[in-house]
Amino acid sequence: AELLFLTDFSSLCSSLCCQCGVPIPPNPANMCVGCLRAQVDITEGIPKQGTLHFCKQCERYLQPPGTWIQCTLESRELLALCLKKIKASLSKVRLIDAGFIWTEPHSKRLKLKLTVQKEVINGAVLQQVFVVEYIVQSQMCEDCHRIEAKDFWKAVVQVRQKTLHKKTFYYLEQLILKHRLHQNTLRIKEIHDGLDFYYSSKQQAQKMVDFLQCTVPSRSKSSQRLISHDIHSNVYNYKSTFSVEIVPICKDNVVCLSPKLAQSLGNMSQICVCIRVTSTIHLIDPSTLQIAEIDGNTYWRHPFNSLFHPKQLEEFIIMDINRVQDKKKGAGAGARSNKHTLAEAWVQKTSELNTDHQYFCCTHLGHILNPGDLVLGFDLANCNLNDEFANKMNPHNIPDVVLIKKSYDRTKRQRRRNWKLKELERDREGMDTDDERQYQDFLEDLEEDEAIRKNVNIYRNADVPVESDTDDDGPPRISLAEMLEDLHISQDATGGEGANMMT
């Protein structure tokens, strides 16, 4: 401790301490520092020890009464938390300085060096330095307790899509990662036809439902089950369930619209191709390039199904192709696509090359197809369509072949792919054997469709060497400008600024 003088006459003369007689500079108390400390202790009433509660799982500290905050060692946030523990006791003194004294990170001890001032006898101001020690005790927070229990949840969001392909779920997974909506989940469980998201509160589950309805065309319904009821305090404990059903249409599906819906979309053909699924279903008429968007409400009023599943795709070879420059619009026709080119093509199945059987079709892929190219499509001429609207159509209005996308060497594409995606941490159950093939299909869709890539975080894969992007004859590729660097920030554990509490 030291005595602060309030006058400038201390340097002119000296006096004797009234207690011990030691010569001292004059001061209002007329006592030396040792005698003044013996009679007055300005730190009296301030606790010299305290306790901090620390959760090992999430590495957060408890801020009473029930808030858990993230703090690193020797940070300003942790210093403020420690001072709040003794805030009431510090109200009688003036806090001048506060800081940490270094301790071993694994010692479970935090020491604070505080400097305080207080006015004592006859207006003399005494300044004193002392140490407050905090013991760090382990205590699991409520969020980690729910995660460890695994079955302690208040709400679940069940996302379902009645399709054989998971392209929509792969796209939805990337959107959830980009917007960080998975951080509040207690558990994510994957089943054969969807995902289940478990939450600790109904509000968090409702937030996920609202996000899904704005992201993909879907409909939802909710229900709740009574778990317990306190009749004395009138408190109810419910478990809520939200069921979200996504439309059963994926990219590259061939659909048959109802006559009423096709007419309302600008008299487009009933046989259309789904080129993209975002918040709406994007359709294109391969015979006229007419495009349309169908939202979730419109789909559920006029539902339609996919005519084929992806496993029924057949490989064709382009024998001859002629691009159609100008084609007259029909009465009431809607907008046409500017990214596609209408063409008339003669194609032959690669499985029938030893025959002379060829098919004539109109396609929207005239901008990327040339004679000799391989293309994937569906054979409508030799199939049995089991669809309500297709069976009522005039057979002359049903095309023989619908081409979907150009075929490339998948092995070469995988070898040259210098980017990657992140995945959700989830429990996998009932996985199909062709999930890897479906995931590769989704990655190829990202390379071919720039509009979908804008909503997905794509990261640079440092394990694959960078090649030139000027290969015009090869498959579509993602440029380096569209990739993000995958950063891994490691924290120092030596007790300095930004270190974690080691357990």
Side-chain angles (χ1 to χ4, degrees), residues 349-387:
K349 289 183 181 181
T350 55
S351 59
E352 299 177 351
L353 291 179
N354 56 348
T355 65
D356 296 333
H357 193 188
Q358 296 185 4
Y359 303 88
F360 176 79
C361 65
C362 292
T363 178
H364 60 289
L365 304 176
H367 57 295
I368 59 175
L369 294 181
N370 295 296
D373 288 343
L374 297 179
V375 61
L376 299 178
F378 294 106
D379 182 8
L380 278 72
N382 300 316
C383 68
N384 185 13
L385 295 177
N386 187 17
D387 185 81

Side-chain angles (χ1 to χ4, degrees), residues 256 270-271 307 383-395 398:
C256 183
Q270 290 184 245
I271 303 295
L307 298 181
C383 68
N384 185 13
L385 295 177
N386 187 17
D387 185 81
E388 175 186 1
F389 305 122
N391 293 335
K392 297 179 181 179
M393 288 182 61
N394 187 344
I398 300 178

Side-chain angles (χ1 to χ4, degrees), residues 224-283:
Q224 57 184 10
R225 177 165 56 96
L226 180 64
I227 303 301
S228 61
H229 173 212
D230 188 351
I231 60 176
H232 300 288
S233 59
N234 200 28
V235 175
Y236 295 84
N237 182 20
Y238 289 101
K239 280 192 174 183
S240 303
T241 301
F242 296 88
S243 178
V244 180
E245 183 181 0
I246 304 176
V247 295
I249 304 298
C250 294
K251 185 180 183 298
D252 297 336
N253 283 164
V254 178
V255 299
C256 183
L257 308 179
S258 64
K260 184 177 181 180
L261 179 59
Q263 183 179 8
S264 65
L265 296 176
N267 291 328
M268 65 188 307
S269 174
Q270 290 184 245
I271 303 295
C272 297
V273 178
C274 177
I275 57 175
R276 191 181 304 116
V277 177
T278 55
S279 58
T280 57
I281 304 173
H282 299 255
L283 300 178

Side-chain angles (χ1 to χ4, degrees), residues 263-374:
Q263 183 179 8
S264 65
L265 296 176
N267 291 328
M268 65 188 307
S269 174
Q270 290 184 245
I271 303 295
C272 297
V273 178
C274 177
I275 57 175
R276 191 181 304 116
V277 177
T278 55
S279 58
T280 57
I281 304 173
H282 299 255
L283 300 178
I284 188 170
D285 183 357
S287 60
T288 62
L289 295 186
Q290 187 173 339
I291 56 176
E293 296 183 11
I294 300 177
D295 57 10
N297 295 330
T298 304
Y299 175 84
W300 297 118
R301 288 197 305 267
H302 307 281
F304 51 88
N305 297 316
S306 175
L307 298 181
F308 303 92
H309 55 80
K311 292 183 179 180
Q312 293 177 297
L313 278 171
E314 297 186 68
E315 191 176 57
F316 296 85
I317 184 171
I318 303 295
M319 307 304 294
D320 189 18
I321 185 168
N322 296 317
R323 291 167 180 81
V324 180
Q325 300 298 331
D326 296 322
K327 187 171 184 178
K328 295 183 179 180
K329 285 188 176 182
R336 289 185 178 181
S337 174
N338 296 324
K339 297 182 180 181
H340 299 83
T341 301
L342 184 63
E344 296 176 345
W346 286 93
V347 298
Q348 187 177 14
K349 289 183 181 181
T350 55
S351 59
E352 299 177 351
L353 291 179
N354 56 348
T355 65
D356 296 333
H357 193 188
Q358 296 185 4
Y359 303 88
F360 176 79
C361 65
C362 292
T363 178
H364 60 289
L365 304 176
H367 57 295
I368 59 175
L369 294 181
N370 295 296
D373 288 343
L374 297 179

Side-chain angles (χ1 to χ4, degrees), residues 39-282:
Q39 292 193 4
V40 180
D41 183 13
I42 64 175
T43 64
E44 184 180 2
I46 302 177
K48 304 303 187 294
Q49 285 190 340
T51 303
L52 289 177
H53 296 283
F54 177 74
C55 179
K56 296 180 181 179
Q57 277 73 14
C58 60
E59 296 185 347
R60 294 186 299 173
Y61 292 88
L62 174 63
Q63 178 177 318
T67 305
W68 292 83
I69 59 176
Q70 193 84 29
C71 299
T72 54
L73 288 181
E74 299 190 9
S75 63
R76 298 181 62 181
E77 294 80 7
L78 185 57
L79 179 62
L81 178 61
C82 295
L83 291 178
K84 284 182 181 180
K85 291 278 187 177
I86 56 175
K87 182 179 180 180
S89 304
L90 292 175
S91 61
K92 298 180 181 180
V93 296
R94 181 183 178 187
L95 181 63
I96 300 302
D97 188 24
F100 284 100
I101 299 177
W102 187 85
T103 57
E104 291 287 346
H106 58 273
S107 64
K108 293 300 191 75
R109 296 292 189 273
L110 295 176
K111 291 185 178 181
L112 256 65
K113 181 181 179 181
L114 303 180
T115 304
V116 295
Q117 289 181 358
K118 185 179 181 181
E119 185 177 336
V120 291
I121 303 173
N122 297 329
V125 178
L126 186 65
Q127 179 172 302
Q128 190 170 343
V129 179
F130 65 102
V131 176
V132 180
E133 182 179 359
Y134 289 92
I135 301 175
V136 181
Q137 292 185 353
S138 299
Q139 177 179 331
M140 185 178 291
C141 64
E142 295 181 359
D143 295 336
C144 294
H145 183 78
R146 294 191 180 101
I147 295 175
E148 291 297 326
K150 292 188 181 297
D151 58 346
F152 188 83
W153 51 271
K154 292 294 184 67
V156 59
V157 180
Q158 299 175 342
V159 187
R160 300 290 184 268
Q161 186 182 31
K162 298 178 181 178
T163 58
L164 297 178
H165 205 285
K166 298 182 179 180
K167 284 185 179 181
T168 305
F169 280 104
Y170 291 134
Y171 173 67
L172 192 60
E173 176 185 14
Q174 298 303 317
L175 291 179
I176 293 174
L177 286 170
K178 182 174 183 178
H179 296 278
R180 300 181 179 179
L181 289 178
H182 62 290
Q183 294 181 340
N184 295 325
T185 56
L186 300 178
R187 181 189 181 193
I188 302 177
K189 181 180 179 182
E190 179 178 354
I191 57 177
H192 67 282
D193 59 348
L195 293 171
D196 290 344
F197 299 87
Y198 294 89
Y199 294 91
S200 59
S201 66
K202 184 178 179 181
Q203 291 76 13
Q204 295 174 349
Q206 185 64 54
K207 183 179 179 181
M208 172 62 81
V209 174
D210 296 339
F211 172 78
L212 293 175
Q213 291 180 340
C214 297
T215 305
V216 291
S218 59
R219 62 179 177 181
S220 65
K221 60 182 180 180
S222 61
S223 62
Q224 57 184 10
R225 177 165 56 96
L226 180 64
I227 303 301
S228 61
H229 173 212
D230 188 351
I231 60 176
H232 300 288
S233 59
N234 200 28
V235 175
Y236 295 84
N237 182 20
Y238 289 101
K239 280 192 174 183
S240 303
T241 301
F242 296 88
S243 178
V244 180
E245 183 181 0
I246 304 176
V247 295
I249 304 298
C250 294
K251 185 180 183 298
D252 297 336
N253 283 164
V254 178
V255 299
C256 183
L257 308 179
S258 64
K260 184 177 181 180
L261 179 59
Q263 183 179 8
S264 65
L265 296 176
N267 291 328
M268 65 188 307
S269 174
Q270 290 184 245
I271 303 295
C272 297
V273 178
C274 177
I275 57 175
R276 191 181 304 116
V277 177
T278 55
S279 58
T280 57
I281 304 173
H282 299 255

